[in-house]
Amino acid sequence: YQRRVHGGERRAMELLAEGHKASILRQAEGESEATMIQAEATARAIAHVARALGENQQAREVIGMRLTEQYINAFGKLAKESNTLILPANAGDPSAMVAQTWKLVQALSSDAGGTAGGQK
């Protein structure tokens, strides 16, 4: 009788472990699927932006301003959330930071649009 009880407890533990393993696998599969959906949506958004940049100078300027804003906000976030801060050489001159970021955006849009200096 004792052997049956111990065997039953062991089987119950095995079933519990199998159930837990299956639950973890289902969760991982769900997270993987969510990551793929997000990656596909990001890829579609990037393709849409790339088309807009190639077709429209004003779109390039708007994207450039948005990227500049995000660049500045990222440095502000680093300053608030970290005890280590990485700053560009011109951190004391916000207008120079904006100009540097804008030059980068123009160079990138130049490559995307196939034009020199971001101009058509």
Side-chain angles (χ1 to χ4, degrees), residues 74-107:
F75 277 107
K77 187 176 180 181
L78 280 172
K80 289 179 184 176
E81 296 178 358
S82 176
N83 61 2
T84 302
L85 185 59
I86 301 168
L87 294 174
N90 58 352
D93 186 1
S95 62
M97 287 175 64
V98 170
Q100 179 183 9
T101 306
W102 189 248
K103 284 180 187 177
L104 175 62
V105 168
Q106 286 179 326

Side-chain angles (χ1 to χ4, degrees), residues 43-104:
R44 285 192 304 274
I46 289 170
H48 182 72
V49 169
R51 280 192 303 277
L53 288 174
E55 297 169 1
N56 186 331
Q57 175 63 30
Q58 186 177 12
R60 284 193 290 270
E61 291 174 6
V62 169
I63 294 294
M65 292 302 293
R66 181 71 176 127
L67 289 174
T68 301
E69 177 184 327
Q70 289 177 347
Y71 177 76
I72 292 169
N73 288 339
F75 277 107
K77 187 176 180 181
L78 280 172
K80 289 179 184 176
E81 296 178 358
S82 176
N83 61 2
T84 302
L85 185 59
I86 301 168
L87 294 174
N90 58 352
D93 186 1
S95 62
M97 287 175 64
V98 170
Q100 179 183 9
T101 306
W102 189 248
K103 284 180 187 177
L104 175 62

